[in-house]
């Protein structure tokens, strides 16, 4: 579950995890959710095939999960029902999706609560051509994070891409070399940090934090991973 819009008052009202609400009704098969408040949440269901591409539906609740309404359907452009699909609800109107399977990925953006979608796949693929530079495999093939006014994309290749104008234009960004060549990489944003995490060939973890211009290694070293984990 992602919690992009979670605020501190919401945390307090849920008693630090001591109060839980069960959802959804059995008729739904939700896979991932985003909560903008303790009452307003968005969940997408497991994909199905429609006209040869993986199709998912996004639902919204305004009463903490008691009832749900369909917001929109999303054509992911992926011809694989097993594609990894993530929906990012940044606000009540600003929606993104990223999807990936094998050596392919796709990305879409909506600024009107899912009524219309713009595909940005070809723009980013052209910027990072060849799209699979370095042959790095990662799941999901595309990852997205927003931080400090920028939308960041981690595709399958070595380089990152970011946009400062909500996806209208994109710039390529080279991450630290050890992150670029790692086979397992993660891009994520917290309330105060944008982070790159990777797993080295020796099983060691590395973590880099964005300082406004570059990604720098974290000050403290991470513990060695346990055998086979």
């Amino acid at each position: 579950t992602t919690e992009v819009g979670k605020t501190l008052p919401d945390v307090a009202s849920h008693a630090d995890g001591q109060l839980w609400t069960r959802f959804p009704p059995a008729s739904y098969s939700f896979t991932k959710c985003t909560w903008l408040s303790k009452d307003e949440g968005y969940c997408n269901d497991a994909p199905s095939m429609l006209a040869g591409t993986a199709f998912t539906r996004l639902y919204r609740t305004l009463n903490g999960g008691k009832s749900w309404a369909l917001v929109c359907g999303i054509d992911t452009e992926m011809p694989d029902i097993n594609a990894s699909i993530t929906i990012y609800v940044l606000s009540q109107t600003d929606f993104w999706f990223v999807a990936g399977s094998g050596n392919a990925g796709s990305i879409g953006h909506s600024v009107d609560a899912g009524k219309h979608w713009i595909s940005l796949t070809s723009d980013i693929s052209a910027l990072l051509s060849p799209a699979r530079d370095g042959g790095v495999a990662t799941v999901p093939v595309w990852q997205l994070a927003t931080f400090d006014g920028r939308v960041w994309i981690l595709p399958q290749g070595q380089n990152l891409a970011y946009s400062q104008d909500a996806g209208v234009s994109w710039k390529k960004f080279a991450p630290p070399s050890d992150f670029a060549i790692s086979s397992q990489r993660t891009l994520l944003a917290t309330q105060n940090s944008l982070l790159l995490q990777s797993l080295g060939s020796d099983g060691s973890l590395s973590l880099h934090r964005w300082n406004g211009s570059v990604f720098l290694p974290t000050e403290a070293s991470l513990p060695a991973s346990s055998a086979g984990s």
Side-chain angles (χ1 to χ4, degrees):
T1 300
T2 57
E3 299 177 285
V4 175
K6 190 171 184 179
T7 62
L8 291 178
D10 292 332
V11 177
S13 66
H14 281 77
D16 294 327
Q18 298 177 37
L19 175 64
W20 292 84
T21 301
R22 184 181 179 88
F23 75 92
S27 57
Y28 295 96
S29 57
F30 294 156
T31 59
K32 296 173 184 175
C33 299
T34 297
W35 292 90
L36 299 184
S37 71
K38 66 183 178 63
D39 295 317
E40 183 177 4
Y42 295 79
C43 296
N44 61 283
D45 61 5
S48 57
M49 294 302 290
L50 181 67
T53 60
F55 184 87
T56 187
R57 295 168 178 82
L58 184 66
Y59 296 85
R60 180 178 69 168
T61 180
L62 295 175
N63 53 19
K66 295 184 179 72
S67 61
W68 296 82
L70 177 65
V71 176
C72 64
I74 302 173
D75 180 356
T76 67
E77 304 175 324
M78 299 299 300
D80 182 3
I81 195 172
N82 295 314
S84 173
I85 302 170
T86 305
I87 313 299
Y88 297 86
V89 178
L90 305 185
S91 72
Q92 292 179 331
T93 57
D94 190 9
F95 298 172
W96 296 75
F97 81 81
V98 292
S101 175
N103 294 328
S106 64
I107 175 174
H109 185 210
S110 173
V111 296
D112 56 6
K115 295 178 182 177
H116 303 90
W117 288 88
I118 299 173
S119 174
L120 302 173
T121 306
S122 59
D123 292 345
I124 296 178
S125 295
L127 175 67
L128 302 178
S129 182
R132 294 185 294 117
D133 55 347
V136 176
T138 179
V139 178
V141 176
W142 300 71
Q143 297 177 36
L144 179 148
T146 60
F147 184 75
D148 199 23
R150 292 184 180 183
V151 177
W152 289 84
I153 291 291
L154 171 60
Q156 188 178 20
Q158 293 181 346
N159 293 304
L160 303 170
Y162 71 86
S163 174
Q164 294 177 290
D165 51 17
V168 176
S169 60
W170 295 86
K171 294 182 179 180
K172 186 192 312 189
F173 190 90
S177 57
D178 55 342
F179 177 84
I181 63 175
S182 174
S183 61
Q184 296 186 38
R185 310 179 302 160
T186 302
L187 165 72
L188 70 149
T190 68
Q191 187 174 10
N192 300 311
S193 299
L194 180 68
L195 303 166
L196 297 176
Q197 176 184 285
S198 58
L199 182 66
S201 58
D202 60 353
S204 61
L205 289 170
S206 66
L207 191 67
H208 293 79
R209 180 180 289 108
W210 176 251
N211 73 351
S213 57
V214 296
F215 287 94
L216 296 177
T218 53
E219 296 80 5
S221 60
L222 295 170
S225 59
S226 60
S229 176

